[in-house]
Structures are given as structure tokens and as C-alpha cells.
Amino acid sequence: GESVGLHLPTLSVQEGDNSIINCAYSNSASDYFIWYKQESGKGPQFIIDIRSNMDKRQGQRVTVLLNKTVKHLSLQIAATQPGDSAVYFCAAGGGADGLTFGKGTHLIIQP
Amino acid sequence: NAGVTQTPKFQVLKTGQSMTLQCAQDMNHNSMYWYRQDPGMGLRLIYYSASEGTTDKGEVPNGYNVSRLNKREFSLRLESAAPSQTSVYFCASSRLAGGIYEQYFGPGTRLTVT
């Protein structure tokens, strides 16, 4: 079955720097990928998604890159702020039957 | 617009007790989901309902049942709780946007089974 994993359980960055969070997936048939942000004690919050036929998608201060050749995607956060501190999950999907989540990367912002 | 709401927020059960977790969404979404999240882990799908009147098993359905009561509500039932079901439970609903089922989550129910 599908497995989705993140390379690093914890990432520490300086406030104002750019953050890059990585994710690998196993199922090349996944139709799309979604990044979620989860703050302590809350549910996952939708950040951005990307279809499998795209290489890049940009949102407000965030960019997702997809490399289908090596089954890898990344979330880039520009000018990291204290409010970006959270656990970030990537998830893979193929229809209405639910998402497969990775284990998450805890982003820590240092002043 | 409250989004996805879940009740209760916290619950403690003894082994063998039963309970129902409630979920409702006001976004007119067709699909709804139940996930569990264990410490240090991502979310795992328990059951989902692609549309009103249908339910299907996810990755970890054993020990759970679900009911899609109407388009808004999707409940999760534990008939005989076990300590292994101690977890945080999240409900989600999804909309289809540009070919992607974007899922939106509730705040979660923290369940402890002793």
C-alpha cells in the first residue's frame, strides 16, 4: 500500500529564514498531495495542495515542489515567523477514499 | 460558518464501555472521514463516507462502527473500548476542488481508555 514519510522529525530554523520540509512517497499512482499544519492541541489545517501533473505550486509565503522521478515533494516557507511553529504533514490521495499521511516534521522557530 | 465540529472534546472510558463520537459539518461537503492520531504518528484512516448513504473501511477499522446520519453528520462508535483505542480522533469533510478532495478537519476528541 501507499506509504508517505518525512525525512526529518524535527527542523529548527531562525526566524526570518526560509524553511524547507521534505516528504517522500511510495505510490506513483497518487493523484495529488496536500500539506497540512497542525498546532498543538488542534486539528490539521490545510495549507496547499498540488496535483500529480504539476511540478510547482505557490501560495502565500509557501511553495510546494513535486519531483515525480524520485517520488519526493517539499514545502518551502518563506521568511519563517513564530506563528509557523507547528508540526507539518504531507499526505497523498487518489480520490474520495481518504488520505495517507506521513509522520510529520516539527518545525521549531528560533528567535 | 463553524466548519467541522466534534463532540466531546475529551473523554475517559473504562475498558469495555461504549461511546459515540459525534461529528458535523456545515460546508455542504459530500465526503466525510474519521481518523485517529497516535503520539508521534500521522493520521490513520478508520472509516470514510464518500457520500450520504455510503460508508467504507479505511486502514484501521477494527473495533469501530460508523453511521452517516445525513449529509451533515458522521458518527463513530466504539462498542467495547480497549486501551489500544486511546488516541486523538479527528473528523474531516472534503470538497472537490480542481480534481483534489481537499479535506478540512475538526478540532479532535481526546479519548483515554483505562
Side-chain angles (χ1 to χ4, degrees):
Chain A
E2 168 78 89
S3 70
V4 178
L6 283 164
H7 295 300
L8 286 175
T10 303
L11 177 65
S12 183
V13 299
Q14 293 288 126
E15 183 178 346
D17 286 352
N18 296 336
S19 301
I20 300 177
I21 302 170
N22 295 304
C23 182
Y25 62 94
S26 64
N27 187 354
S28 57
S30 295
D31 287 336
Y32 52 85
F33 303 89
I34 305 177
W35 281 99
Y36 286 92
K37 171 186 181 183
Q38 187 176 28
E39 295 173 290
S40 181
K42 297 185 178 180
Q45 176 187 353
F46 176 92
I47 302 174
I48 190 168
D49 55 31
I50 186 168
R51 294 197 66 174
S52 60
N53 60 357
M54 300 173 68
D55 297 322
K56 179 179 180 179
R57 189 162 188 218
Q58 288 184 290
Q60 187 175 10
R61 278 201 311 120
V62 294
T63 301
V64 56
L65 299 177
L66 176 62
N67 184 330
K68 293 180 285 294
T69 303
V70 295
K71 298 181 187 174
H72 179 273
L73 69 159
S74 66
L75 176 70
Q76 300 179 6
I77 304 173
T80 309
Q81 304 168 358
D84 295 327
S85 179
V87 178
Y88 290 81
F89 293 94
C90 63
D97 57 352
L99 296 169
T100 300
F101 281 79
K103 289 186 170 59
T105 289
H106 186 191
L107 180 63
I108 298 170
I109 314 302
Q110 296 190 348
Chain B
N1 191 336
V4 179
T5 57
Q6 293 183 237
T7 56
K9 285 187 168 45
F10 301 93
Q11 184 71 47
V12 178
L13 291 178
K14 292 189 187 324
T15 297
Q17 287 184 317
S18 62
M19 77 161 295
T20 300
L21 282 65
Q22 307 287 353
C23 173
Q25 52 94 7
D26 62 1
M27 297 176 282
N28 201 36
H29 291 168
N30 286 322
S31 302
M32 297 185 72
Y33 310 82
W34 276 104
Y35 292 86
R36 62 178 286 172
Q37 184 177 31
D38 299 306
M41 301 283 287
L43 283 71
R44 291 185 292 168
L45 184 66
I46 304 172
Y47 270 93
Y48 68 98
S49 171
S51 61
E52 187 179 354
T54 70
T55 60
D56 285 286
K57 295 178 180 179
E59 181 186 353
V60 289
N62 291 345
Y64 305 95
N65 285 300
V66 290
S67 295
R68 183 74 183 268
L69 303 170
N70 48 55
K71 190 171 186 178
R72 290 187 63 248
E73 298 171 288
F74 188 37
S75 63
L76 178 72
R77 182 159 178 85
L78 287 71
E79 289 291 352
S80 179
S84 62
Q85 294 179 304
T86 293
S87 190
V88 182
Y89 291 85
F90 289 101
C91 177
S93 66
S94 70
R95 66 166 190 159
L96 185 59
I100 296 176
Y101 284 87
E102 296 180 351
Q103 292 190 22
Y104 296 87
F105 287 82
T109 293
R110 282 147 186 80
L111 175 67
T112 301
V113 183
T114 61

